[in-house]
Amino acid sequence: MILEQPSVLVVDDDEKSVATLKRTLRKDFKVYTALSAEEAEEILRFEYIQVLVCDHRMPKETGVSFLIRVKEQWPDVIRVLLSGYSSLEDTIRGVNEAGIYQYIEKPWQPEQLIHTLKNAVELFELQRENRLLSVELKVAPSALEKEVKQKKEQLKKTYGCDEIVRTENGLLDKVIQRVCQISSFDFPVLITGESGTGKELFARAIHYNSPRADGPFLAENCGALPDQLLESELFGYKKGAFTGAYMDHVGLFEQASGGTLFLDEVGEISQSFQVKLLRVLQEGEIRPLGHSKPRKVDVRIVAATNRNLEEEVKAGRFREDLFYRLVGYVVQLPSLHERKEDIPLLANAFLKHLCEQYARPFGGFTDEMMQCLMDYRWPGNIRELQNEIGRSFMMTPQGEPLRAEFCSPRVLRAAPEDMEMELEWVSGVNGSLKEKVAQIEEQIIREALIRLRWNKTKVAEELGLSRVGLRQKMERFGITENHGGEAVSEKVG
């Protein structure tokens, strides 16, 4: 890329001097010339001039007088004066009134002149950048305020109750209706439910549908930190309060002031730390480590746990007074197994998000794949479902629907090591021992057929059956291969 040379305007009534200056400067600068102040003004009106070099002695007016006018009309142009003889009075006037950058005495030295003009160009650019920054600083507050407002509105929309994926009139729909109702009241909320049911999502929904929505939302996993680290994270500390405290740290209670603090896994905190947390909730103030004076905070607490805190209170592992400080209202989230009607909606939502993220066409799911998702119990709940969709998405050719053969073995049937789940499944099977065994046998055959892509020879070998024996069992159980969503009777020869 060719960079344009910096521009210099030379003003002198002596044509020979102008020619000499142009020859000297043209290698490093784009040189404009003028033999009078009038010519120079005309050039200044129509050209981008960075530095003006003017002779002091001219017929109609002095260089200083001309540069005073230039300063008024083109203040950004850097002004340099050439002079062989000038009085002290002219020098003072030139500095004070014309804002002259530098005097250069005649006869000038080429190297010195070029060096001076390069410095003048650099000064011009610095002035321009400074002016742009000044403008930017004036604009920045309103621009940033607008950007922050837009992002907050987007967050409110993203975490609005209507955006939570669920079936209309389903089990979760009733929970969301209650969440929308309680969000506007500034009471603490305890969210309970199994791991992976979306407790933080609901905490955000409570915050962004509340009067505190414009304030901060901060989260802390209380079960992941030891007491001292949890205390410093929540309450903050003063520089030098302990080894490694090299600077002041503002705790999450202060950072979240005016907004919501989400305390996840609150049932995991020790009894000694429960006392400290209780004091903060009672008094509405914290005392950072190393500080002698407490500080007031204004925070709404939303806590979450997968434990039964009432049972923990009865067992003496959780303080009863703290429990009642946290429980303004309890939101009980159902497991994914309890809201199976939402599985197709959630699966499609996860898949669409992945397709958008990786710019791939949406292929959907085969009926067989969706049936596998519906039949599985999902002990890891929504988080496990999301991971399963991601795994199958990686294995599926672009543009094709997700197929059951790419499911994890545990989704096709309960994993062998998960004996408790298998026993629970067996106990749920109705009928005599013979009927129960038949249903388990059917499940095993279905899983093997899907996993081995309906290759009956391989399935028969794996299960220790002949092809004829496998065919008979498939006919007895009514197992047929699914082609593109259409059930077709299987004939095994």
Side-chain angles (χ1 to χ4, degrees):
M1 183 177 70
I2 299 175
L3 296 174
E4 188 174 348
Q5 290 179 307
S7 56
V8 174
L9 172 58
V10 174
V11 185
D12 197 326
D13 62 325
D14 187 339
E15 292 186 20
K16 291 183 180 181
S17 295
V18 168
T20 303
L21 284 164
K22 187 171 184 178
R23 273 197 310 272
T24 303
L25 302 176
R26 65 186 176 188
K27 184 178 177 181
D28 299 287
F29 305 94
K30 183 177 182 181
V31 183
Y32 296 85
T33 60
L35 298 175
S36 66
E38 291 79 5
E39 283 184 39
E41 287 175 347
E42 193 70 15
I43 293 171
L44 286 166
R45 288 190 188 97
F46 297 103
E47 301 294 342
Y48 179 70
I49 303 298
Q50 293 167 285
V51 182
L52 189 151
V53 180
C54 182
D55 185 45
H56 181 53
R57 290 259 177 160
M58 292 193 294
K60 295 183 179 179
E61 64 179 329
T62 64
V64 172
S65 298
F66 171 60
L67 293 179
I68 289 172
R69 291 209 316 279
V70 171
K71 180 187 176 184
E72 292 172 354
Q73 297 182 56
W74 298 279
D76 293 339
V77 176
I78 306 300
R79 298 164 293 279
V80 176
L81 192 66
L82 289 175
S83 178
Y85 38 85
S86 58
S87 65
L88 179 60
E89 183 181 347
D90 286 336
T91 302
I92 294 172
R93 184 166 177 249
V95 172
N96 292 341
E97 297 182 36
I100 291 170
Y101 169 64
Q102 195 161 339
Y103 275 97
I104 298 179
E105 292 186 358
K106 293 181 178 179
W108 43 264
Q109 298 297 318
E111 295 81 2
Q112 181 192 3
L113 177 63
I114 291 170
H115 179 71
T116 299
L117 297 187
K118 283 184 177 179
N119 287 343
V121 170
E122 187 175 346
L123 177 62
F124 177 91
E125 291 300 322
L126 287 171
Q127 285 184 169
R128 187 176 65 87
E129 289 178 17
N130 183 60
R131 186 173 65 256
L132 290 173
L133 285 172
S134 297
V135 172
E136 184 72 15
L137 286 170
K138 291 177 183 177
V139 173
S142 58
L144 287 173
E145 185 178 351
K146 183 179 179 181
E147 184 179 351
V148 168
K149 187 176 181 181
Q150 289 174 342
K151 287 183 177 180
K152 283 182 178 178
E153 290 302 318
Q154 182 60 43
L155 284 169
K156 290 178 186 178
K157 182 180 178 182
T158 300
Y159 294 105
C161 291
D162 293 338
E163 297 299 316
I164 298 176
V165 178
R166 82 279 191 181
T167 304
E168 189 176 355
N169 297 322
L171 182 61
L172 194 66
D173 204 34
K174 297 174 183 177
V175 176
I176 291 172
Q177 289 174 14
R178 296 193 199 103
V179 166
C180 292
Q181 185 177 352
I182 66 169
S183 293
S184 57
F185 296 95
D186 207 23
F187 287 96
V189 178
L190 178 66
I191 304 174
T192 62
E194 296 177 7
S195 294
T197 50
K199 293 188 283 292
E200 184 169 342
L201 173 66
F202 275 83
R204 290 181 182 275
I206 290 168
H207 171 73
Y208 287 108
N209 288 277
S210 75
R212 293 177 175 265
D214 290 330
F217 175 92
L218 297 176
E220 182 62 81
N221 187 332
C222 299
L225 300 174
D227 282 3
Q228 186 176 4
L229 189 53
L230 182 61
E231 182 177 2
S232 63
E233 281 298 301
L234 293 180
F235 307 148
Y237 54 80
K238 187 179 180 181
K239 179 181 178 181
F242 53 85
T243 303
Y246 299 116
M247 62 181 69
D248 290 350
H249 173 69
V250 179
L252 293 181
F253 267 95
E254 277 193 273
Q255 292 181 46
S257 195
T260 303
L261 181 59
F262 175 54
L263 301 178
D264 198 8
E265 303 299 347
V266 73
E268 306 299 322
I269 61 177
S270 68
Q271 289 188 312
S272 61
F273 191 78
Q274 288 175 29
V275 177
K276 297 176 182 179
L277 182 59
L278 174 64
R279 184 181 181 282
V280 173
L281 300 183
Q282 284 177 334
E283 306 298 331
E285 59 184 29
I286 60 164
R287 192 173 72 181
L289 291 169
H291 280 271
S292 57
K293 295 182 179 179
R295 299 178 181 179
K296 286 287 183 183
V297 290
D298 173 27
V299 176
R300 182 184 191 177
I301 296 295
V302 177
T305 182
N306 57 8
R307 292 175 178 261
N308 185 329
L309 285 192
E310 289 190 61
E311 292 298 324
E312 294 294 301
V313 169
K314 290 178 183 177
R317 290 187 292 267
F318 200 87
R319 292 183 63 96
E320 186 175 18
D321 45 7
L322 177 58
F323 173 75
Y324 288 115
R325 283 285 173 183
L326 295 172
V327 181
Y329 187 86
V330 178
V331 175
Q332 173 66 44
L333 296 184
S335 67
L336 187 56
H337 178 67
E338 293 173 305
R339 45 181 285 223
K340 279 184 173 289
E341 69 275 5
D342 293 336
I343 289 176
L345 290 174
L346 288 165
N348 277 286
F350 292 143
L351 181 56
K352 285 177 182 176
H353 176 73
L354 287 168
C355 290
E356 290 173 3
Q357 183 178 353
Y358 293 98
R360 292 175 60 172
F362 178 77
F365 301 84
T366 64
D367 291 344
E368 200 170 55
M369 170 69 168
M370 188 57 71
Q371 190 60 51
C372 286
L373 299 181
M374 292 294 290
D375 290 342
Y376 185 57
R377 291 187 62 85
W378 301 109
N381 292 291
I382 297 170
R383 190 180 297 120
E384 186 184 5
L385 173 63
Q386 185 176 15
N387 290 341
E388 187 66 29
I389 300 301
R391 179 186 186 277
S392 300
F393 177 78
M394 288 188 290
M395 304 288 290
T396 302
Q398 186 168 332
E400 293 186 13
L402 270 61
R403 301 194 296 271
E405 66 195 65
F406 297 130
C407 281
S408 303
R410 69 177 185 279
V411 176
L412 293 176
R413 62 180 171 87
E417 64 270 16
D418 194 355
M419 294 305 296
E420 184 180 345
M421 183 176 292
E422 284 205 342
L423 290 172
E424 186 179 346
W425 182 82
V426 172
S427 66
V429 176
N430 297 319
S432 64
L433 175 62
K434 183 178 180 180
E435 290 170 334
K436 289 184 176 184
V437 170
Q439 290 188 51
I440 294 171
E441 186 178 9
E442 178 187 349
Q443 179 73 7
I444 292 171
I445 292 172
R446 284 184 184 276
E447 182 273 329
L449 284 165
I450 292 170
R451 178 165 43 82
L452 297 174
R453 299 191 181 188
W454 295 83
N455 186 318
K456 298 169 198 63
T457 301
K458 290 184 178 180
V459 172
E461 289 176 358
E462 182 178 293
L463 299 180
L465 300 170
S466 66
R467 281 177 59 85
V468 174
L470 176 62
R471 180 196 65 187
Q472 290 174 344
K473 288 182 180 294
M474 288 177 66
E475 289 176 350
R476 177 156 60 94
F477 295 133
I479 299 174
T480 57
E481 186 173 354
N482 190 311
H483 293 282
E486 182 182 355
V488 180
S489 296
E490 275 294 302
K491 300 296 181 184
V492 181

